Amino acid sequence: MGRAFLFPGQGAQTIGMGRDLADAYPGARAVFEEVDDALGEKLSALIWDGDIETLTLTANAQPALMATSIAAMRALEAEGVAVESAAYVAGHSLGEYSALTAAGALSVTDAARLLRARGAAMQEAVPVGVGAMAAILGLGLEDVRKVAEAASQGEVCAAANDNDPGQVVVSGHKAAVERAVDLAKEAGAKRAVLLPVSAPFHCALMAPAAEAMAAALGSVTINAPAVPVVANVMAEAVSAPESIRSLLVDQITGAVRWRESVSWMVGQGVTEFWEIGAGKALIGMVRRIDRSATTRAVGTAADVQAATQNS
């Protein structure tokens, strides 16, 4: 049975995530300590005892979610389930950094610093209120692309996340995204709603952030991953370090091709998907992409115990 490990993106964060992993597994606690040291602050205190508004700030949520995912991975490893037991790893947006870290391509320290820089760069790329994102439910990718093109009217509006067969997210200038919401409803979407995000991610408006990340990524070592990583912008596996580096830059302005990524893994023989870290959003998407797939969420010490007893 082919297995893939999946790593969640922004939106999965909760206060208290990963605390029981750190309490139960020294290796998991060491991850949070390493992230605190890398950032020069007690991000773990914010994750476990802070307020959700502060944790949700992009520059905090991104390294926090990576830390929680890698803590869960360390707990799995302590119970005998190594990353090499998966045929592939993949992550949704920032989750791609978690996937790369789990597979040994990035160190925890470098990943934490890169994600802090990435979050800040993405937030600073577009003034608050200029951009927006919206989820379109019930229309396929091509229909949403047509809606986005019609809504653009000289502004940026593009399909940013192709999550599953019935959920595509658009991103761009606020007025254009608002027009896309109206047009999507007219085109038969079940729902079209603006998302509570602070910036228009994964579209051309993020170009300044891509430049910043190209500089940041140029200064870190990227190793060949122990397991191939399915890249968001390619929707297929990559292992060459320099390809990984350039794809992480492309990812800032490029679409997250999640539906295609999961379908590609299924086509390679993957039948079992484990979501490693906070939340269960990705395995929900997997079920909508391929109803025959087996899924499991591994975000708590109890989840680790259940997973390793049955694997």
Side-chain angles (χ1 to χ4, degrees), residues 54-82:
T54 305
L55 180 61
T56 298
L57 293 173
T58 304
N60 292 329
Q62 296 200 19
L65 285 162
M66 181 278 296
T68 303
S69 285
I70 301 307
M73 196 69 238
R74 295 289 183 266
L76 283 171
E77 290 165 355
E79 297 291 353
V81 178

Side-chain angles (χ1 to χ4, degrees), residues 171-262:
S171 181
H173 285 104
K174 188 167 188 275
V177 171
E178 289 172 342
R179 289 191 293 270
V181 166
D182 293 337
L183 289 171
K185 291 175 181 175
E186 292 173 12
K190 292 177 183 175
R191 287 186 70 201
V193 293
L194 290 171
L195 296 175
V197 296
S198 55
F201 305 130
H202 299 292
C203 75
L205 293 178
M206 287 287 111
E211 290 181 19
M213 286 312 295
L217 284 157
S219 66
V220 302
T221 297
I222 299 179
N223 304 307
V227 176
V229 179
V230 179
N232 284 185
V233 297
M234 283 179 59
E236 60 184 56
V238 61
S239 291
E242 290 313 307
S243 295
I244 290 169
R245 196 186 308 272
S246 63
L247 289 168
L248 287 175
V249 176
D250 294 345
Q251 189 215 56
I252 299 289
T253 55
V256 176
R257 297 167 62 187
W258 191 252
R259 176 184 58 84
E260 292 175 87
S261 295
V262 172

Side-chain angles (χ1 to χ4, degrees), residues 144-170:
V144 173
R145 281 176 171 162
K146 291 175 184 174
V147 163
E149 185 178 355
S152 61
Q153 296 181 20
E155 295 184 311
V156 171
C157 187
N161 298 355
D162 178 18
N163 286 333
D164 63 47
Q167 183 189 122
V168 182
V169 175
V170 296

Side-chain angles (χ1 to χ4, degrees), residues 76 81 274 296 298 302-311:
L76 283 171
V81 178
W274 292 19
R296 178 182 290 278
V298 185
D303 291 340
V304 170
Q305 290 292 317
T308 54
Q309 287 167 8
N310 296 322
S311 65

